[in-house]
Amino acid sequence: MAQASGGPTALGPSELQGLAAVMRLLAQVGDVDALLSNHPSEPHDNRLHIGYSEAAERLNIPEKWLRERISTLPHRKFGKFVQFAEEDLRAISDMHFVNPGMADRKEHESAVMSLQPSKRSRKRF
């Protein structure tokens, strides 16, 4: 029940019950973005592990790239079957994180370091 004078809004019992119902629904859904976008949850959310093709699709990379580098990437091995868990996909993504600002800073620092005289150089008088 809003006041006409532009003052603070007071909520009555029915508004509070409605707000509580909305909060309970949001807590049950857990993912507000999925609720707002009206997209159903993807089927991979329920599976513990996924194969090469789906992992490559989720990482947005070619499957061949994954297969060629599997010895250096986090994964699960069940006999001859290679599988990826959610943590593996996140780790692979994190392994290839690039921050250009950090690279510029490192290059600048190395350039400054190369301009400094060595400790064995002669002193000039």
Side-chain angles (χ1 to χ4, degrees):
M1 303 193 169
Q3 296 178 352
S5 65
T9 303
L11 296 177
S14 61
E15 288 91 356
L16 287 175
Q17 286 176 345
L19 181 60
V22 169
M23 296 302 289
R24 278 193 301 275
L25 285 173
L26 288 174
Q28 286 175 357
V29 170
D31 187 4
V32 177
D33 293 331
L35 179 66
L36 293 176
S37 65
N38 291 326
H39 293 294
S41 296
E42 295 185 26
H44 67 261
D45 290 338
N46 296 330
R47 290 186 286 158
L48 187 57
H49 299 109
I50 59 173
Y52 276 113
S53 61
E54 190 170 341
E57 182 180 323
R58 293 202 32 217
L59 290 168
N60 198 26
I61 58 173
E63 184 178 333
K64 182 179 178 183
W65 188 93
L66 271 180
R67 289 184 181 275
E68 290 173 348
R69 293 164 179 79
I70 193 61
S71 64
T72 62
L73 300 173
H75 62 281
R76 315 297 161 122
K77 191 95 181 226
F78 299 98
K80 65 179 182 177
F81 301 103
V82 172
Q83 297 285 300
F84 299 90
E86 187 67 31
E87 307 87 62
D88 300 331
L89 298 179
R90 290 189 195 288
I92 292 169
S93 178
D94 291 344
M95 288 170 62
H96 296 90
F97 173 74
V98 176
N99 186 347
M102 293 299 290
D104 292 342
R105 213 174 295 143
K106 287 180 183 176
E107 289 173 9
H108 175 70
E109 289 172 1
S110 64
V112 171
M113 294 294 284
S114 64
L115 294 177
Q116 295 176 352
S118 72
K119 294 178 180 177
R120 298 187 323 165
S121 63
R122 286 190 332 199
K123 293 184 179 182
R124 297 181 185 175
F125 297 101

